[in-house]
Amino acid sequence: MTGSIAERIANIRQQLPPSVRLIAVTKQVSVEAMREAYAAGIRDFGESRTQEAEAKLAQLSDLPDLNWHFIGHLQSNKVKKALEQFQWIHSCDSLKLAQRLDRLAEELSLQPKVCLQVKIVPDPDKYGWTAPELLSDLPELDTYKSLQIRGLMTILPLGLSQQEALQVFEDTRKLADKIKQQNCSHLRMEELSMGMSGDYPLAVQAGSTMVRLGRIIFGERTA
Ligand SMILES: *Cc1c(COP(=O)(O)O)cnc(C)c1O
């Protein structure tokens, strides 16, 4: 890994279409490094733990125009905290969680933007909806009024070839296209949250609108 954080961000930006939002994933990253990213133009930070995010929000409260994205598995006892901290929840991964998010968002008078996490390659150990499960839960999801469901999110299984990875991203986009044709009244499919450090060029090729990049900006995580 070469260059400063600012140089790496500039380099990545150059490769991304202007419409793709670059989310800097800052789990285990210091607030000093986050300030460097901010100075280089980053306004979107992704975190996977509410506790870690809480400390960082406090330390970065002088930066007025940040968007915080929750990208980890959300336990039900952390839902309220997550809603208070994050404008975006990318990792809404079950109907039960969506229900709870909507109910608490209503209580808190919040309207978080949400992506539904899907697993195109079925895997019992991974979180998220399979395509058939999501299609069958769609009518229920479309009744939620406080959640602003805006798209799909996916994380690739490990060990795919480039071709297989591209296929998973394209299948995710096709699923979003199919959902668009279901005449939902509230739920919208405008965003595709896909692509991490190892695979984001393929995700962008397949139509990603939000890439979530950590290591390629900040270096390897230690834990
Ligand atoms: C950690 C994480 C990322 C960033 O991964 P990198 O390989 O560091 O780019 C993106 N999305 C999710 C859901 C993550 O947990």
Side-chain angles (χ1 to χ4, degrees), residues 25 27 48 71 153 155 196-198 212-216 221:
V25 173
K27 54 193 186 201
S48 52
I71 62 170
M153 182 271 225
I155 303 173
M196 302 171 37
S197 292
R212 310 177 308 268
L213 306 184
R215 290 172 298 141
I216 200 172
R221 290 177 288 272

Side-chain angles (χ1 to χ4, degrees), residues 12-13 15-23 42 44 191-195 200-201 203-213:
I12 295 161
R13 256 277 147 244
Q15 302 165 43
L16 294 176
S19 59
V20 173
R21 196 194 291 231
L22 170 53
I23 299 171
I42 294 290
D44 294 273
E191 305 283 351
L192 290 170
S193 170
M194 26 188 229
Y200 75 94
V204 169
Q205 191 182 329
S208 170
T209 64
M210 298 194 275
V211 293
R212 310 177 308 268
L213 306 184

